[in-house]
Amino acid sequence: MLVGVDLGQPHFDPTLAELAELARSAGFEVLDRVVCRRRAPDAALFVGKGKADEIQALAAAHAAAEVLFDQALSPAQQRNLERHLKLPVNDRVLLILNIFAQRARSHEGKLQVELARLQYLQTRLVRRWTHLERQSGGIGLRGGPGETQIELDRRMIAEAIQRTRQRLDLVKRQRNTQRRQRQRRGTFDISLVGYTNAGKSTLFNALVKARAYAADQLFATLDTTTRQLYLGPEVGQVSLSDTVGFIRDLPHTLVEAFAATLQEAREADLLLHVVDLADPQHPDKIDDVLRVLRDIGAGDIPQVLVANKIDALPPALQPRGRRDEVELDGRRVPRVFVSAAQGTGLDELRALLAEIVRARHAVADAGLSADAAQLTYP
């Protein structure tokens, strides 16, 4: 059962389409959807008792096994809803965490997911389970005199978070070493960013002839992959990285946990902002990506907007040309229309990238700063 509460936010999705895609990506089957409108969340049940009774009746009629909320729930609200509905209740944050846990393949990705999971779990200890009130201290027992189970669990989770952070710091130092080596070689770094399922991995594979996993699902790729992209004899090779996709209301724990991965975007020379042009909501998703980029400190990095999936557009909406300019976050940026799956427009994209790199090299040869070099991008 999917539940969404319209609290007046401009980005509320009354169809719960994205939550349904997240649920399917996590392996759930969507049975029904419930949407209600409130001025503010109910402190105890988030949706209020009347709507909770309606959800309980629908869940029983469909024999639902779980209820998923599109908004983040407080620990107390989650506990109260589970008692009222007599079903497991989870929110959008945990759903995304579960998808990340299923998809992470590299050592770094698994560490990032584990850190985000521990941070989420840490907030769920407050009055979430009754067994956490047991006393476990005393002579010969772990913990101090009178130490409760919740205090033990909180301390164990804090220690696990610290260990995971230390291991992630080691990964970050390794990435920094690799990045410094590329910088010493004068490598131009490009990172693919965009909303999840916009086609970043498909574009990455098409540009560098790689075999990174790509699928028509949310968060198909979590682990950053970097390859060399050849742009012709005048320019040579640049470094191209495929990063994790963004999503609306990306949990702050995930932004923090994936700092090592997102660092590729934060320290890139250029961002290829990939957009699913066939998605009717793509303007809103562009704004969501720009918001996340500002949150991670990458909002000022030059961008190229890659309008992908033009093969899915009807003939009347096909672009007249392959390149133009558009205003993005108060700046004029170049836009290229492509179909990564069909290979359409990729030559124009490579040509544009070559122009940008040549302009950067020309400014560098003139002895100007990196900030001045950014101003010369088309």
Side-chain angles (χ1 to χ4, degrees):
M1 290 283 299
L2 306 184
V3 181
V5 181
D6 185 359
L7 300 172
Q9 298 100 330
H11 59 257
F12 178 74
D13 178 14
T15 66
L16 300 182
E18 185 171 270
L19 184 64
E21 282 299 311
L22 285 169
R24 281 189 280 268
S25 296
F28 289 103
E29 177 188 354
V30 178
L31 299 176
D32 204 350
R33 312 177 193 204
V34 177
V35 176
C36 65
R37 180 188 292 271
R38 290 185 63 91
R39 291 184 178 179
D42 181 74
L45 295 171
F46 196 80
V47 293
K49 187 177 183 303
K51 185 60 68 172
D53 290 338
E54 178 186 336
I55 295 170
Q56 183 184 28
L58 284 172
H62 289 291
E66 189 166 331
V67 178
L68 300 174
F69 276 73
D70 197 28
Q71 288 86 4
L73 300 173
S74 72
Q77 289 168 337
Q78 187 175 4
R79 178 202 61 195
N80 294 336
L81 282 166
E82 288 185 341
R83 289 177 177 175
H84 191 94
L85 302 178
K86 298 178 176 60
L87 282 173
V89 175
N90 284 306
D91 59 14
R92 178 188 181 91
V93 177
L94 186 63
L95 187 59
I96 294 175
L97 282 173
N98 287 339
I99 295 172
F100 275 40
Q102 294 173 14
R103 304 280 167 76
R105 292 293 179 267
S106 70
H107 175 64
E108 176 189 4
K110 292 176 181 178
L111 283 176
Q112 290 167 331
V113 171
E114 178 65 11
L115 178 58
R117 189 188 69 82
L118 288 169
Q119 290 172 328
Y120 180 86
L121 182 60
Q122 193 175 38
T123 66
R124 305 287 117 173
L125 290 178
V126 182
R127 295 189 298 176
R128 178 82 167 97
W129 297 289
T130 56
H131 81 276
L132 295 178
E133 298 173 357
R134 291 200 306 263
Q135 300 283 331
S136 62
I139 297 174
L141 296 177
R142 183 177 180 184
E147 188 171 24
T148 61
Q149 184 67 38
I150 189 171
E151 291 168 339
L152 281 172
D153 285 6
R154 185 180 290 118
R155 177 157 50 81
M156 291 171 62
I157 289 179
E159 291 171 354
I161 288 175
Q162 184 178 4
R163 289 194 302 270
T164 307
R165 285 188 189 278
Q166 290 172 349
R167 295 162 72 184
L168 270 174
D169 286 342
L170 177 61
V171 173
K172 187 182 295 187
R173 287 197 296 271
Q174 292 171 344
R175 280 196 176 276
N176 285 336
T177 300
Q178 295 169 354
R179 191 175 293 108
R180 284 195 298 269
Q181 290 175 347
R182 293 199 300 264
Q183 290 173 348
R184 282 197 294 267
R185 295 195 300 266
T187 304
F188 191 90
D189 292 326
I190 303 174
S191 283
L192 290 165
V193 298
Y195 210 83
T196 180
N197 205 29
K200 296 186 305 300
S201 295
T202 303
L203 178 63
F204 179 80
N205 290 337
L207 287 173
V208 300
K209 304 297 187 293
R211 294 182 180 180
Y213 180 68
D216 185 16
Q217 57 185 207
L218 302 185
F219 298 116
T221 301
L222 295 183
D223 302 312
T224 298
T225 306
T226 302
R227 296 288 185 273
Q228 296 301 306
L229 171 63
Y230 183 69
L231 293 177
E234 294 184 15
V235 175
Q237 290 185 332
V238 297
S239 175
L240 182 66
S241 297
D242 183 20
T243 61
V244 63
F246 300 156
I247 196 169
R248 172 177 59 84
D249 298 331
L250 186 68
H252 290 293
T253 53
L254 285 179
V255 173
E256 183 182 356
F258 276 76
T261 296
L262 297 175
Q263 191 171 356
E264 293 291 340
R266 189 167 56 243
E267 299 190 7
D269 296 299
L270 178 70
L271 299 178
L272 293 188
H273 183 164
V274 185
V275 178
D276 179 359
L277 200 60
D279 184 349
Q281 296 181 330
H282 75 266
D284 294 331
K285 293 183 176 180
I286 290 175
D287 292 336
D288 291 331
V289 172
L290 294 176
R291 192 175 302 112
V292 175
L293 288 174
R294 288 193 293 268
D295 288 343
I296 67 174
D300 295 330
I301 298 175
Q303 296 183 34
V304 169
L305 195 67
V306 182
N308 191 25
K309 303 187 182 182
I310 60 172
D311 56 303
L313 293 174
L317 296 180
Q318 288 292 326
R320 295 181 179 180
R322 289 283 179 258
R323 280 176 57 175
D324 64 5
E325 285 190 352
V326 66
E327 186 168 324
L328 196 67
D329 209 16
R331 296 178 296 178
R332 298 292 295 179
V333 301
R335 177 172 60 177
V336 184
F337 298 94
V338 308
S339 168
Q342 303 294 329
T344 308
L346 296 187
D347 289 341
E348 287 79 3
L349 177 58
R350 291 190 184 94
L352 174 61
L353 294 179
E355 290 177 23
I356 293 173
V357 177
R358 278 197 298 268
R360 174 64 176 268
H361 288 168
V363 173
D365 291 342
L368 299 180
S369 66
D371 291 337
Q374 291 181 3
L375 296 176
T376 66
Y377 289 170

